[in-house]
Amino acid sequence: MTYKHIGKNFTPPDIEAKVTGAARYAEDFKKEGMVFARLLTSPLPAGRIISIDTSEAEAMEGVVGILTTADLPQPPPPANPALASDHITYIGQPLLAVAAVTEEIAENAIEKIRIEFERRPFVTDPLDTLVEGGPNPYPTGNTLIRNAGEAAAGTTAAGTDVGEIKWSRDAMNAFRAGREPSGVTFGDEWSYGDIESEFAQCTTIVEEPFVTIGQPHHALEPRTGMAYWENGRCYFHGSLQSHTIAVAPLAGMLGIDPANLVFINEYTGGGFGGKIFPYPIMAVTGHLARKINRPVQLRITREEEFYIGSARAGMQGWIKLGLKPNGEVGAVDTVIVGDAGSGGGASGSSAAEHITLMLQPAAMRFRGVSIYTNTTPRGAQRGPGQNEMAAVLAPIYDKAIRQAGLDRMEVRRLNAPVSEDKIGPRRGDLTSAFFPQAIQMGADMFNWSERSQRSGQRNGSKVTGIGIGMGYHSAGASGYDGLCRIGTDGKLYLHTGVGNLGTYSYAAVVRTAAEVLKVDWDNCEIVRGNTDLHLPYSTYQAGSNTMFTEVRTNYVAAQDALRKLKAIAAADLGGNADDYDIDGQRVFLTSNPEQGMTYAEAAQRAVAMGGEYSGQEFPEELNDVTKRAVQGLAGSGLIGVAKDSRHSGTVPAMTIGFMEIEMDLDTGKYDIVDYTCVADCGTIIHPLGFRQGMNGGGVWGVGLSGYERHVYDPQNGLPANVGLYQARIPSYLDVPHVSNSAGLDIPDPQSPMGSRGVGEPAQGCAAAALASAITDALGGQHLFNRAPITPDMIVNHVAQLDQYNTGELKTNTF
């Protein structure tokens, strides 16, 4: 289908501001009378506060106020409080905030505060608390228990308690040695199919342990916030990757009606899952501003960002995988211990779900447990569960395929999902899937048949490795609201409540409304970034979600506007609405195009007619956020507003990556010679945005499998990598100057424009391809089964001094 806007490149409206430095982030906003706040954070990994003496700090000139735990609700564990008191659970946890006229004074005041602590036992490795007799990270236990409870006051996390699960030492010894634990308790279990029968039909079976490390987010923009109160309303400048969906939870943290919160977030310097929803420290900014009745800026340092910014959940696991003679995956059995950090969540089940889709085993069983540790909180990070599993699964899958004497690409293509296939333990449907075609397209682009023959070729101390990896993430939701407005000036105002995470998808999806209404892009204006601008209730900007979800909302809003355009024309010019069409920003009689009116004239008539046409009436099914937005716009033009209906099935974003590396066996370092990736993600809405997403995801995938560590000293709970330097990420020197990417570009039938997201799996396939290539360069026999695999590990293996052997499951430690 030929589109006016969809599939075409364009310049998003905020690029110029970013290039010139005019873009303003939370830290750039100032307000008359503003003061500066700094945090006092915990020096202990576990304990509680016995007493706090702030008298000396409060007496200092320039100190305006102090916010302590006495000023805020103290939710029970495992909820992370904005300021901790009775349950300190990690080093760097915020304990109080000092506001002063300068940051220097606030810092000096922090030094004057005296706190008496009670120490408690702590743990950094999940297996150390899971074994019988091991210390618990909380006084009441070590594991997450889900219930139906509501969020504790002052928090956004709902439905969790702390329980206790312990394994016998024999079971733990077996697990640490890379074997299946027996006779143990799990917190989460599911299965489908007859796993014993399917394994009996498999002629190739491999069993392997695996470990993935939970790396902190380290977004370039820390969680700085600025807040002030006027006439009972809180104006909050924050750093979130979502926008209107965050209003209700943030208002709840501040104890106000959502109608009294104005949230401003025009730009976000990264989030990656760590800023999907409001986080606890935002409550400190808002409550402190209200307590002292002054605007407050709470600037978060890079080190503090490491502590409170949350991290990816790590995994320690075991997997058994069986192939039938023809290469079909017969059965998979896996056990995953997920590291939830302090009050976070693990992602073992989603990691296992990745296998159900990408390998399509006839039978599968998952058993898992989410374990707390006294480390930074864990949460979503670009493809939580799926991408870590992709990284460690690829070499294990390769090992089974090699033992079966089959081709690694052909077996992946054989088992790749198609539209009729299923996903997850409930064997849910897919909106569409064409992954075998994507794999073949990638193989052709990479020239797999020729390149795979280079595997193991030597050039002095250097050896060639060829890798292949797959990425997946669910990439769409539905049921949100769409809102657009044709102004009396004839312009199309595209209102969106998604966040601006930097991907430009917020701008790409609203072009759907311009497409439906046939409006030139230079006659459109995107309205976003400030809830006072009357924004609809939109999806969160995360989970590769925006491209599918917000195309749908913008489509239904534009269809509502189109219906109203035709109805207005029919009312003024005669006939029925079906007699009219649109083009050139006019609505006209199909049988006589000369008889019609411009969009500006139609908007003016909408204002005069009132009712639903001008926003004075609206569907009751709309979210309260959208209702308030429509009420604010009433009488300003023709309002198109609607709630999207529910779609059916999982929306799968899938990618295939191919990589060639040249590894120096003397140093353990490697150069990436070539990287090619292909996505099955429906219609490509914005080609340049798509390519950058694939490139950026690929670079991060290299980081996941090759660089990013999360290390704690088990003797004192101190982290070793609290800044960007210690948590090294790939640079331009570590990745190819040019990577090849393409989209299959087959429309998804449940998206009006055929689109699905692709952000998450772009990382997973690169991480998997690199892990696969590293193993291939070492002959395909030794499996590190870890993410990351670092040069020292490679050198030690070559020297037969394996520090991290196949059965070593320790994590978070030196």
Tab-separated table of all heavy atoms in Angstrom, residues 236-272:
chain	number	residue	atom	x	y	z
A	236	PHE	N	5.828	19.339	38.553
A	236	PHE	CA	6.951	18.417	38.725
A	236	PHE	C	7.691	18.244	37.398
A	236	PHE	O	7.132	17.771	36.420
A	236	PHE	CB	6.441	17.050	39.209
A	236	PHE	CG	7.492	16.220	39.894
A	236	PHE	CD1	7.408	15.936	41.250
A	236	PHE	CD2	8.574	15.721	39.195
A	236	PHE	CE1	8.369	15.177	41.886
A	236	PHE	CE2	9.544	14.957	39.818
A	236	PHE	CZ	9.441	14.688	41.173
A	237	HIS	N	8.963	18.654	37.383
A	237	HIS	CA	9.851	18.418	36.246
A	237	HIS	C	10.663	17.171	36.562
A	237	HIS	O	11.482	17.177	37.503
A	237	HIS	CB	10.781	19.607	36.026
A	237	HIS	CG	10.085	20.867	35.643
A	237	HIS	ND1	9.881	21.236	34.332
A	237	HIS	CD2	9.522	21.838	36.401
A	237	HIS	CE1	9.235	22.395	34.297
A	237	HIS	NE2	9.006	22.778	35.539
A	238	GLY	N	10.445	16.111	35.817
A	238	GLY	CA	11.115	14.859	36.137
A	238	GLY	C	11.699	14.187	34.917
A	238	GLY	O	11.554	14.658	33.783
A	239	SER	N	12.364	13.075	35.142
A	239	SER	CA	12.966	12.284	34.079
A	239	SER	C	12.324	10.910	34.066
A	239	SER	O	12.705	10.015	34.822
A	239	SER	CB	14.482	12.154	34.296
A	239	SER	OG	15.062	11.354	33.290
A	240	LEU	N	11.308	10.767	33.227
A	240	LEU	CA	10.635	9.481	33.037
A	240	LEU	C	10.569	9.164	31.555
A	240	LEU	O	10.509	10.060	30.721
A	240	LEU	CB	9.207	9.518	33.597
A	240	LEU	CG	9.022	9.434	35.109
A	240	LEU	CD1	7.542	9.489	35.447
A	240	LEU	CD2	9.634	8.159	35.670
A	241	GLN	N	10.543	7.891	31.232
A	241	GLN	CA	10.395	7.518	29.831
A	241	GLN	C	8.934	7.418	29.416
A	241	GLN	O	8.644	7.231	28.239
A	241	GLN	CB	11.126	6.205	29.560
A	241	GLN	CG	10.659	5.025	30.389
A	241	GLN	CD	11.647	3.889	30.374
A	241	GLN	OE1	12.688	3.955	31.006
A	241	GLN	NE2	11.347	2.840	29.631
A	242	SER	N	8.024	7.537	30.353
A	242	SER	CA	6.591	7.574	30.075
A	242	SER	C	6.055	8.927	30.526
A	242	SER	O	6.735	9.672	31.219
A	242	SER	CB	5.865	6.452	30.802
A	242	SER	OG	6.462	5.198	30.536
A	243	HIS	N	4.802	9.217	30.146
A	243	HIS	CA	4.279	10.527	30.549
A	243	HIS	C	2.915	10.408	31.230
A	243	HIS	O	2.831	10.304	32.436
A	243	HIS	CB	4.228	11.489	29.365
A	243	HIS	CG	4.208	12.919	29.797
A	243	HIS	ND1	5.303	13.731	29.714
A	243	HIS	CD2	3.247	13.669	30.371
A	243	HIS	CE1	5.004	14.927	30.214
A	243	HIS	NE2	3.749	14.908	30.607
A	244	THR	N	1.826	10.444	30.468
A	244	THR	CA	0.521	10.522	31.133
A	244	THR	C	0.196	9.280	31.951
A	244	THR	O	-0.543	9.369	32.933
A	244	THR	CB	-0.605	10.779	30.116
A	244	THR	OG1	-0.550	9.792	29.068
A	244	THR	CG2	-0.480	12.160	29.501
A	245	ILE	N	0.722	8.148	31.590
A	245	ILE	CA	0.455	6.941	32.381
A	245	ILE	C	1.114	7.036	33.759
A	245	ILE	O	0.762	6.314	34.684
A	245	ILE	CB	0.928	5.669	31.639
A	245	ILE	CG1	0.209	4.436	32.189
A	245	ILE	CG2	2.434	5.511	31.704
A	245	ILE	CD1	0.439	3.183	31.383
A	246	ALA	N	2.053	7.970	33.902
A	246	ALA	CA	2.746	8.144	35.178
A	246	ALA	C	2.025	9.094	36.121
A	246	ALA	O	2.381	9.187	37.297
A	246	ALA	CB	4.157	8.672	34.920
A	247	VAL	N	1.014	9.804	35.625
A	247	VAL	CA	0.373	10.850	36.431
A	247	VAL	C	-0.278	10.272	37.686
A	247	VAL	O	-0.049	10.755	38.803
A	247	VAL	CB	-0.650	11.626	35.588
A	247	VAL	CG1	-1.513	12.522	36.471
A	247	VAL	CG2	0.061	12.468	34.536
A	248	ALA	N	-1.101	9.256	37.540
A	248	ALA	CA	-1.814	8.706	38.698
A	248	ALA	C	-0.861	8.130	39.741
A	248	ALA	O	-1.002	8.427	40.934
A	248	ALA	CB	-2.834	7.665	38.244
A	249	PRO	N	0.127	7.303	39.371
A	249	PRO	CA	1.013	6.773	40.411
A	249	PRO	C	1.863	7.847	41.088
A	249	PRO	O	2.103	7.775	42.293
A	249	PRO	CB	1.883	5.748	39.676
A	249	PRO	CG	1.702	6.018	38.228
A	249	PRO	CD	0.361	6.627	38.075
A	250	LEU	N	2.321	8.850	40.330
A	250	LEU	CA	3.109	9.915	40.949
A	250	LEU	C	2.237	10.744	41.890
A	250	LEU	O	2.657	11.107	42.995
A	250	LEU	CB	3.751	10.801	39.890
A	250	LEU	CG	4.601	11.970	40.408
A	250	LEU	CD1	5.680	11.485	41.369
A	250	LEU	CD2	5.216	12.739	39.241
A	251	ALA	N	1.016	11.026	41.468
A	251	ALA	CA	0.090	11.742	42.345
A	251	ALA	C	-0.168	10.945	43.621
A	251	ALA	O	-0.262	11.514	44.721
A	251	ALA	CB	-1.221	12.024	41.615
A	252	GLY	N	-0.283	9.623	43.490
A	252	GLY	CA	-0.469	8.785	44.660
A	252	GLY	C	0.710	8.860	45.613
A	252	GLY	O	0.529	8.884	46.838
A	253	MET	N	1.917	8.908	45.089
A	253	MET	CA	3.107	9.024	45.930
A	253	MET	C	3.130	10.355	46.673
A	253	MET	O	3.656	10.454	47.784
A	253	MET	CB	4.363	8.876	45.072
A	253	MET	CG	4.565	7.484	44.497
A	253	MET	SD	5.847	7.404	43.224
A	253	MET	CE	7.311	7.755	44.174
A	254	LEU	N	2.543	11.387	46.054
A	254	LEU	CA	2.525	12.714	46.666
A	254	LEU	C	1.266	12.951	47.495
A	254	LEU	O	1.132	13.996	48.147
A	254	LEU	CB	2.637	13.789	45.583
A	254	LEU	CG	3.918	13.735	44.735
A	254	LEU	CD1	3.869	14.780	43.645
A	254	LEU	CD2	5.156	13.920	45.601
A	255	GLY	N	0.312	12.015	47.432
A	255	GLY	CA	-0.904	12.133	48.221
A	255	GLY	C	-1.863	13.190	47.727
A	255	GLY	O	-2.538	13.845	48.532
A	256	ILE	N	-1.946	13.361	46.395
A	256	ILE	CA	-2.837	14.374	45.831
A	256	ILE	C	-3.692	13.760	44.734
A	256	ILE	O	-3.397	12.680	44.212
A	256	ILE	CB	-2.054	15.568	45.249
A	256	ILE	CG1	-1.105	15.109	44.135
A	256	ILE	CG2	-1.297	16.298	46.352
A	256	ILE	CD1	-0.376	16.250	43.443
A	257	ASP	N	-4.754	14.478	44.381
A	257	ASP	CA	-5.585	14.085	43.260
A	257	ASP	C	-4.784	14.256	41.969
A	257	ASP	O	-4.082	15.258	41.798
A	257	ASP	CB	-6.838	14.974	43.210
A	257	ASP	CG	-7.863	14.499	42.199
A	257	ASP	OD1	-7.500	14.368	41.006
A	257	ASP	OD2	-9.023	14.272	42.587
A	258	PRO	N	-4.842	13.279	41.040
A	258	PRO	CA	-4.097	13.418	39.780
A	258	PRO	C	-4.393	14.719	39.042
A	258	PRO	O	-3.540	15.225	38.303
A	258	PRO	CB	-4.553	12.191	38.974
A	258	PRO	CG	-4.919	11.180	40.005
A	258	PRO	CD	-5.508	11.956	41.139
A	259	ALA	N	-5.595	15.265	39.218
A	259	ALA	CA	-5.931	16.522	38.560
A	259	ALA	C	-5.074	17.672	39.073
A	259	ALA	O	-4.974	18.719	38.406
A	259	ALA	CB	-7.413	16.843	38.773
A	260	ASN	N	-4.447	17.500	40.235
A	260	ASN	CA	-3.636	18.561	40.826
A	260	ASN	C	-2.147	18.363	40.592
A	260	ASN	O	-1.318	19.013	41.244
A	260	ASN	CB	-3.909	18.662	42.328
A	260	ASN	CG	-5.289	19.198	42.617
A	260	ASN	OD1	-5.815	20.024	41.868
A	260	ASN	ND2	-5.907	18.718	43.695
A	261	LEU	N	-1.806	17.483	39.670
A	261	LEU	CA	-0.403	17.267	39.316
A	261	LEU	C	-0.158	17.723	37.879
A	261	LEU	O	-0.875	17.316	36.967
A	261	LEU	CB	-0.037	15.791	39.451
A	261	LEU	CG	1.364	15.396	38.948
A	261	LEU	CD1	2.451	16.062	39.788
A	261	LEU	CD2	1.533	13.885	38.953
A	262	VAL	N	0.829	18.571	37.699
A	262	VAL	CA	1.286	18.960	36.368
A	262	VAL	C	2.674	18.347	36.187
A	262	VAL	O	3.618	18.723	36.891
A	262	VAL	CB	1.354	20.488	36.199
A	262	VAL	CG1	1.851	20.837	34.802
A	262	VAL	CG2	-0.005	21.107	36.457
A	263	PHE	N	2.770	17.392	35.283
A	263	PHE	CA	4.035	16.695	35.070
A	263	PHE	C	4.649	17.172	33.761
A	263	PHE	O	4.017	17.089	32.704
A	263	PHE	CB	3.813	15.184	35.047
A	263	PHE	CG	5.090	14.397	34.876
A	263	PHE	CD1	6.160	14.595	35.737
A	263	PHE	CD2	5.229	13.474	33.857
A	263	PHE	CE1	7.338	13.893	35.586
A	263	PHE	CE2	6.397	12.764	33.697
A	263	PHE	CZ	7.455	12.971	34.564
A	264	ILE	N	5.874	17.701	33.846
A	264	ILE	CA	6.569	18.244	32.676
A	264	ILE	C	7.811	17.406	32.425
A	264	ILE	O	8.668	17.266	33.315
A	264	ILE	CB	6.973	19.723	32.889
A	264	ILE	CG1	5.745	20.563	33.238
A	264	ILE	CG2	7.654	20.269	31.652
A	264	ILE	CD1	5.639	20.910	34.688
A	265	ASN	N	7.906	16.837	31.243
A	265	ASN	CA	9.040	15.981	30.881
A	265	ASN	C	9.170	15.992	29.367
A	265	ASN	O	8.715	15.080	28.690
A	265	ASN	CB	8.823	14.574	31.420
A	265	ASN	CG	10.040	13.676	31.303
A	265	ASN	OD1	9.969	12.499	31.565
A	265	ASN	ND2	11.184	14.225	30.918
A	266	GLU	N	9.782	17.038	28.840
A	266	GLU	CA	9.869	17.191	27.387
A	266	GLU	C	10.910	16.264	26.778
A	266	GLU	O	10.750	15.799	25.647
A	266	GLU	CB	10.193	18.645	27.047
A	266	GLU	CG	9.126	19.634	27.499
A	266	GLU	CD	9.512	21.076	27.223
A	266	GLU	OE1	10.623	21.296	26.686
A	266	GLU	OE2	8.725	21.971	27.543
A	267	TYR	N	11.993	16.046	27.481
A	267	TYR	CA	13.080	15.213	26.988
A	267	TYR	C	13.531	14.283	28.114
A	267	TYR	O	13.510	14.652	29.283
A	267	TYR	CB	14.272	16.067	26.544
A	267	TYR	CG	13.942	17.035	25.451
A	267	TYR	CD1	13.482	18.314	25.744
A	267	TYR	CD2	14.088	16.681	24.112
A	267	TYR	CE1	13.165	19.216	24.744
A	267	TYR	CE2	13.777	17.569	23.097
A	267	TYR	CZ	13.310	18.838	23.421
A	267	TYR	OH	12.996	19.722	22.417
A	268	THR	N	13.965	13.089	27.741
A	268	THR	CA	14.501	12.142	28.717
A	268	THR	C	15.820	11.607	28.183
A	268	THR	O	15.860	11.055	27.074
A	268	THR	CB	13.529	10.980	28.961
A	268	THR	OG1	12.301	11.506	29.451
A	268	THR	CG2	14.094	10.011	29.982
A	269	GLY	N	16.859	11.753	28.965
A	269	GLY	CA	18.170	11.289	28.540
A	269	GLY	C	18.410	9.834	28.874
A	269	GLY	O	19.386	9.480	29.528
A	270	GLY	N	17.520	8.979	28.429
A	270	GLY	CA	17.672	7.546	28.643
A	270	GLY	C	16.865	7.046	29.817
A	270	GLY	O	16.651	7.734	30.807
A	271	GLY	N	16.400	5.828	29.681
A	271	GLY	CA	15.630	5.188	30.740
A	271	GLY	C	15.775	3.684	30.692
A	271	GLY	O	16.038	3.035	31.697
A	272	PHE	N	15.553	3.100	29.501
A	272	PHE	CA	15.823	1.688	29.226
A	272	PHE	C	15.042	0.719	30.103
A	272	PHE	O	15.421	-0.430	30.248
A	272	PHE	CB	17.323	1.394	29.362
A	272	PHE	CG	18.207	2.427	28.731
A	272	PHE	CD1	19.113	3.147	29.478
A	272	PHE	CD2	18.105	2.700	27.380
A	272	PHE	CE1	19.899	4.125	28.902
A	272	PHE	CE2	18.893	3.672	26.789
A	272	PHE	CZ	19.791	4.383	27.547
